[in-house]
Amino acid sequence: MTAATEVWAIVVAVGVGTFCIRFSFIYLFEYLSEVPDGLERALRLVPAAVLSALVVPAVVVVDGSPALSLDNGRLLAAGAAAVVAWRTENILATIAVGMAVLLGLRLVV
Amino acid sequence: MLMYSASIAPYLRELSTRWRAGIAYLLTDQAYALSVTRFGADGTVRRRWYYLGVAAPLWIVWQLCTVAGVVVGTRVPESLPLSFAVPLTFLALLLPAVTDRAGAVAAVVGGAGAVLGADLPLNLGLIAGAVAGVVAGVAVEAGGDR
């Protein structure tokens, strides 16, 4: 195999793999006659848990360790963005305010 | 993605396999978060069309931006913290997803768990945190019933 076909084979394999992961439960749930009550309640909590698990480390962890001081501009920026998200539920405004605060802090410090 | 798939699956059971395969192909963090929040709050929404309206534009913009990134990516100054925009989108989606006490507990435990596990390889901290959050939320819900 040449290098190019090898790369393409990997691209296709990764693509098929990621599709299978995404399709897994969406496909399998067809075979449940009904979704058990407890499972449904647990699954309803997934968005809050996953999104928080994505956001909090991205804000708090700097260079591999938690940084909870004001030196970490991301804390203030995320705080301001959270207020905007809560008040307006506007995604663009949230991003704009968060980025503006972070950039502003870098210019000041 | 496995958790997203499981979490959105109950809402899509009545759709054909072909539709569900297409939905799985277009599944991204943002398409998932917006749709599942809406499906949970509004039982009357026409799910396949709502999902398509969210996911298809995302897919198109994603492709275009990938090309743009390949072409001009190296010329964007290092000092511009563009990577911070990604958690900000998740933050904007997180707050509407927290609708009750169990959800708040799931979010707090999920976030704290992911920070504690930040050193783990393969993004396991994210998975461990998310699972811990769901477990904690379920426990709080069960406690509240009594």
Side-chain angles (χ1 to χ4, degrees):
Chain A
M1 233 183 339
T2 68
T5 37
E6 202 169 310
V7 168
W8 278 110
I10 292 170
V11 168
V12 170
V14 170
V16 170
T18 185
F19 175 77
C20 288
I21 290 170
R22 279 152 218 253
F23 197 31
S24 57
F25 284 101
I26 293 177
Y27 178 67
L28 290 172
F29 264 57
E30 185 183 356
Y31 297 103
L32 281 177
S33 54
E34 60 184 68
V35 184
D37 216 31
L39 178 64
E40 201 176 332
R41 265 185 293 163
L43 291 178
R44 216 173 286 150
L45 295 168
V46 168
V50 172
L51 291 171
S52 180
L54 282 166
V55 171
V56 179
V59 173
V60 170
V61 177
V62 177
D63 295 332
S65 55
L68 285 171
S69 73
L70 285 179
D71 294 340
N72 178 5
R74 292 177 171 215
L75 282 179
L76 271 178
V83 172
V84 174
W86 175 50
R87 298 295 245 187
T88 67
E89 296 202 350
N90 182 328
I91 294 177
L92 270 182
T94 305
I95 297 169
V97 169
M99 294 297 282
V101 171
L102 187 61
L103 278 173
L105 283 172
R106 292 207 177 168
L107 292 178
V108 172
V109 180
Chain B
M1 280 300 161
L2 208 58
M3 288 179 86
Y4 291 167
S5 182
S7 166
I8 204 167
Y11 296 111
L12 306 171
R13 292 174 64 219
E14 71 272 24
L15 298 183
S16 68
T17 306
R18 190 176 296 185
W19 261 97
R20 284 179 296 135
I23 283 171
Y25 176 71
L26 292 175
L27 191 63
T28 53
D29 297 278
Q30 285 81 359
Y32 159 79
L34 270 175
S35 298
V36 95
T37 306
R38 183 63 185 269
F39 295 167
D42 177 2
T44 63
V45 67
R46 291 164 77 194
R47 290 175 191 151
R48 69 183 79 176
W49 300 114
Y50 183 88
Y51 183 89
L52 204 61
V54 173
L58 262 170
W59 185 88
I60 293 165
V61 172
W62 184 6
Q63 307 301 330
L64 294 177
C65 289
T66 303
V67 173
V70 169
V71 176
V72 301
T74 52
R75 273 179 275 161
V76 176
E78 200 57 36
S79 59
L80 197 63
L82 274 183
S83 61
F84 192 58
V86 178
L88 287 174
T89 66
F90 293 132
L91 177 65
L93 297 166
L94 166 64
L95 294 186
V98 177
T99 51
D100 55 7
R101 207 162 63 97
V105 169
V108 169
V109 174
V115 169
L116 291 176
D119 288 337
L120 297 175
L122 300 173
N123 253 340
L124 280 175
L126 165 65
I127 295 161
V131 170
V134 170
V135 170
V138 168
V140 166
E141 220 164 45
D145 286 346
R146 265 177 239 136

